[in-house]
């Protein structure tokens, strides 16, 4: 009996040893058969999905998943199920990034590697499941240990206090507590108001045992609807350590016109006030007023009888006038009176004073009058020659013209013996600047300034009395002569002008010019009245 019992115990030891050896061999076989890059690829996938994707950084998620797929290749570097998981996740990210065709292509690749692959529960939504089903074929996808019902909520890692509803134009308070043992350094609220396409981020601040903050009334807006949000807590490396809600299955706060019951608030704080006063309004928030009394806006629809300009309702500016058509070639005919500023002189007819004297018939006075007996020019502005001018101007722009004048002068001085006769011809080159918008294309008054130079002779005279001798002076027998001042032949001029345009292409012209004569110098002026017509 004793020998038999010993044989039974020995048999049991042998069987146990065989089972242990078999188990160890199985483990070693699995280790040996494990693909060498599975762990690294899945690590990239973890960052892509739980950091980038849930943070709506789709491009970064796509890049990491593509890197993981490239790392696996088509060989044995990764298990087929790992490759399928990466391809399926990349398809889900492409779908969220509005790239459904790319998503279908990667779903097909995933199903090739693993026909039982399924959408990750953290990425699932009804629309995504339908696309995945279409990629797989008609019918419902095969059951899988990884499969999940569409759009099921993620496990609640965070304890949070958020109102189910809030009034329009009122901040929404958030208070979040992170589970013990979770090392979070930042808590973000990812939210999207009703009617808004882009998700925004609000970072909560440490508040007692949790994290608190609010979504501003500017982000809440004044539209009725659901404000969607989900919560993410990250560690010092930026990795997600806790979440509540997700992009495809967010939480909601109903934005209503009027809130019933006690308004929501953060712990030990008063409820946030609605933005109704100017001081409560965030800068540029629609419906609010700035210190100047302007109403903030985002579109013209919010500004009755006004326009939304730079974020505020303002009176619309008058539309800039279109450039009116105008003629470029202008002809004119004008009459001009010249004036000379005559210098004062005693014994003007005696010679050497710049004056020459002639009698009324034009006969030159060559005698020597009695010195100091009258024969005085008082000086001042005196009428001089007159002339008829024909003009041509070319409009370079609506405001700038250049042109010339050809004139015929009369009322010049008589010829002194041995001197040149009066030059009746005048030639002038000039430029003009016309003020205002479209001055050459409209009727009414047009103002301009001009400058010019050319060749002309300007003569002026004043009457003087002379005495031939002392006897004539005592007898009061004076003789009447005209003392002539002859100037030119060069001149320069500048001055203002005005035109009354009867029509855009015709008008009456008036010019007043200051004139400087040389080399026989004198200062003077000219007044011109003319008529212009455009061709």
């Amino acid at each position: 009996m004793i020998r038999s019992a010993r044989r039974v115990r020995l048999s049991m030891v042998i069987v146990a040893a065989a089972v242990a050896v078999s188990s160890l061999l199985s483990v070693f076989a699995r280790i040996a058969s494990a693909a060498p890059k599975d762990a690294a690829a899945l690590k990239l996938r973890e960052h892509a999905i739980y950091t980038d994707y849930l943070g709506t950084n789709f491009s970064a998620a796509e890049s990491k998943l593509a890197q993981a797929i490239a790392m696996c290749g088509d060989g044995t570097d990764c298990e087929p199920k790992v490759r399928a998981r990466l391809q399926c996740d990349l398809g889900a990210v492409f779908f969220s990034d509005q790239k459904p065709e790319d998503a279908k292509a990667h779903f097909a690749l995933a199903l090739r590697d693993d026909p039982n692959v399924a959408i990750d529960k953290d990425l699932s939504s009804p629309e995504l499941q339908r696309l995945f089903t279409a990629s797989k074929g008609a019918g419902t996808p095969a059951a899988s240990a990884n499969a999940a019902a569409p759009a099921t909520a993620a496990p609640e890692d965070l304890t949070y206090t958020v109102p189910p509803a809030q009034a329009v134009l009122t901040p929404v308070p958030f208070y979040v507590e992170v589970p013990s043992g979770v090392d979070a350094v930042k808590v973000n609220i990812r939210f999207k108001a009703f009617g808004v396409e882009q998700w925004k981020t609000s970072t909560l601040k440490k508040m007692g045992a949790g994290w608190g903050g609010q979504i501003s009334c500017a982000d809440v807006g004044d539209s009725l609807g659901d404000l969607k949000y989900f919560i993410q807590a990250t560690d010092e490396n930026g990795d997600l350590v806790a979440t509540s809600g997700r992009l495809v299955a967010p939480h909601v706060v109903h934005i209503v016109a009027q809130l019933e019951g006690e308004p929501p608030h953060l712990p030990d704080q008063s409820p946030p006030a609605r933005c109704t006063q100017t001081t409560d309004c965030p800068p540029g928030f629609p419906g609010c007023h700035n210190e100047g009394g302007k109403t903030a806006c985002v579109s013209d629809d919010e500004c009755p009888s006004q326009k939304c300009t730079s974020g505020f309702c303002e009176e619309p500016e008058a539309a800039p006038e279109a450039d009116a058509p105008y003629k470029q070639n202008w002809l004119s005919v004008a009459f001009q009176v010249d004036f000379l500023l005559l210098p004062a002189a005693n014994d003007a007819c005696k010679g050497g004073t710049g004056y020459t004297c002639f009698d009324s018939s034009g006969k030159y006075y060559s005698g020597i009058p009695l010195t100091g007996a009258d024969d005085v020019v008082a000086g001042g502005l005196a009428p001089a020659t007159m002339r008829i001018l024909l003009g041509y101007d070319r409009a370079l722009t609506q405001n700038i013209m250049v042109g010339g004048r050809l004139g015929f002068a009369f009322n010049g001085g008589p010829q002194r013996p041995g001197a040149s006769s009066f030059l009746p011809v005048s030639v002038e080159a000039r430029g003009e600047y016309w003020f205002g918008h479209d001055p050459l294309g409209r009727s009414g008054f047009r103002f301009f300034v001009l400058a010019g130079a050319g060749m002309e002779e300007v003569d002026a005279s004043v009457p003087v009395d002379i005495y031939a001798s002392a006897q004539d002076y005592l007898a009061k027998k004076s003789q009447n002569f005209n003392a002539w001042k002859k100037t030119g032949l060069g001149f320069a001029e500048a001055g203002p002008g005005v035109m009354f345009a009867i029509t855009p292409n015709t008008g009456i012209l008036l010019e007043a010019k200051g004139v400087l004569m040389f080399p026989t110098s004198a200062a003077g002026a000219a007044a011109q009245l003319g008529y212009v017509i455009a061709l």
Side-chain angles (χ1 to χ4, degrees):
M1 286 295 295
I2 295 175
R3 186 178 299 152
S4 176
R6 287 178 177 173
R7 283 198 298 268
V8 170
R9 286 197 295 270
L10 179 60
S11 297
M12 292 177 63
V13 170
I14 292 172
V15 170
V19 170
V21 169
S22 176
S23 299
L24 287 173
L25 290 174
S26 176
V27 169
F28 289 143
R30 285 197 300 268
I31 292 175
S33 64
K37 295 185 178 179
D38 282 353
L42 292 174
K43 183 65 176 177
L44 274 174
R45 182 237 178 215
E46 180 182 351
H47 279 279
I49 298 302
Y50 295 104
T51 299
D52 296 329
Y53 175 80
L54 293 182
T56 66
N57 189 354
F58 299 134
S59 61
E62 292 167 10
S63 177
K64 286 186 176 67
L65 288 170
Q67 182 181 350
I69 292 171
M71 181 187 298
C72 287
D74 294 327
T76 58
D77 288 338
C78 293
E79 289 287 338
K81 289 187 176 182
V82 172
R83 291 199 303 270
R85 169 54 44 213
L86 295 174
Q87 294 284 7
C88 188
D89 289 344
L90 183 55
V93 174
F94 275 131
F95 178 80
S96 298
D97 202 16
Q98 307 297 316
K99 300 174 182 177
E101 293 304 319
D102 290 336
K104 289 177 66 176
H106 285 277
F107 287 154
L109 293 173
L111 291 165
R112 182 194 65 183
D113 287 326
D114 181 6
N116 293 322
V117 70
I119 301 294
D120 187 284
K121 64 180 181 179
D122 288 329
L123 312 180
S124 180
S125 70
E127 296 82 3
L128 183 57
Q129 285 286 355
R130 282 194 290 271
L131 182 65
F132 182 76
T133 301
S135 302
K136 188 174 183 180
T140 305
S144 166
N146 292 327
T152 50
E156 295 296 318
D157 300 326
L158 301 168
T159 302
Y160 62 94
T161 302
V162 181
Q166 181 61 296
V168 294
L169 299 176
T170 308
V172 177
F174 282 79
Y175 181 74
V176 177
E177 291 186 354
V178 179
S180 60
V182 175
D183 187 17
V185 298
K186 181 185 289 188
V187 177
N188 289 329
I189 306 294
R190 295 282 294 166
F191 67 92
K192 182 172 69 168
F194 178 76
V196 177
E197 294 185 2
Q198 299 295 325
W199 289 83
K200 294 185 177 181
T201 300
S202 177
T203 301
L204 304 184
K205 296 181 179 179
K206 198 74 174 70
M207 180 181 291
W211 303 73
Q214 61 186 25
I215 297 176
S216 70
C217 56
D219 288 319
V220 172
D222 57 359
S223 298
L224 303 181
D226 289 342
L227 183 146
K228 300 178 180 180
Y229 71 94
F230 57 94
I231 309 171
Q232 296 177 323
T234 57
D235 61 15
E236 60 183 7
N237 296 321
D239 295 330
L240 280 175
V241 293
T243 63
S244 181
R246 52 199 171 96
L247 184 69
V248 294
H251 303 306
V252 297
V253 176
H254 304 295
I255 305 303
V256 297
Q258 189 69 35
L259 192 65
E260 300 293 337
E262 181 182 358
H265 58 85
L266 292 170
D268 302 323
Q269 292 189 14
S270 300
R274 177 171 176 159
C275 293
T276 55
Q277 302 299 321
T278 302
T279 53
D280 295 329
C281 282
F285 186 71
C288 295
H289 298 268
N290 68 354
E291 295 180 355
K294 296 180 180 179
T295 302
C297 60
V298 294
S299 68
D300 291 343
D301 295 339
E302 301 171 7
C303 305
S305 74
Q306 294 181 316
K307 290 186 68 66
C308 187
T309 305
S310 300
F312 292 99
C313 294
E314 296 181 348
E315 293 296 330
E317 296 182 1
E321 298 181 20
D323 290 340
Y326 65 96
K327 302 287 188 178
Q328 291 185 293
N329 300 303
W330 295 73
L331 300 180
S332 64
V333 58
F335 172 75
Q336 178 173 298
V337 177
D338 300 324
F339 298 87
L340 279 181
L341 186 62
L342 298 177
N346 294 320
D347 301 319
C349 294
K350 192 174 182 179
T353 60
Y355 290 95
T356 54
C357 295
F358 298 84
D359 63 17
S360 58
S361 65
K363 183 179 179 180
Y364 173 67
Y365 176 72
S366 59
I368 300 176
L370 180 65
T371 301
D374 210 341
D375 194 12
V376 174
V377 175
L381 195 65
T385 47
M386 293 176 282
R387 63 192 73 240
I388 300 295
L389 298 167
L390 297 178
Y392 169 77
D393 292 287
R394 173 75 175 182
L396 303 181
T397 70
Q398 275 275 22
N399 300 94
I400 298 175
M401 300 179 76
V402 294
R405 300 290 184 271
L406 179 65
F408 179 82
F410 50 93
N411 201 33
Q415 182 179 1
R416 179 171 61 87
S420 300
S421 61
F422 174 69
L423 178 67
V425 177
S426 63
V427 179
E428 171 188 347
R430 57 190 277 159
E432 301 154 12
Y433 180 83
W434 297 73
F435 297 100
H437 181 75
D438 292 342
L440 303 182
R442 55 180 171 79
S443 302
F445 285 101
R446 307 172 181 175
F447 297 92
F448 64 96
V449 291
L450 65 94
M455 180 185 70
E456 68 181 16
E457 181 177 338
V458 178
D459 299 346
S461 67
V462 292
V464 294
D465 294 327
I466 66 170
Y467 293 90
S469 62
Q471 291 81 1
D472 289 347
Y473 180 74
L474 293 174
K476 296 183 179 181
K477 294 175 61 176
S478 65
Q479 301 178 46
N480 303 116
F481 287 88
N482 293 314
W484 282 89
K485 178 72 173 176
K486 302 170 75 69
T487 64
L489 296 170
F491 76 96
E493 64 180 2
V498 60
M499 173 183 173
F500 178 74
I502 303 169
T503 70
N505 300 325
T506 61
I508 298 172
L509 191 71
L510 180 65
E511 296 178 2
K513 303 175 286 187
V515 181
L516 182 64
M517 306 300 300
F518 57 87
T520 304
S521 63
Q528 183 181 126
L529 179 66
Y531 178 79
V532 294
I533 183 171
L535 300 179

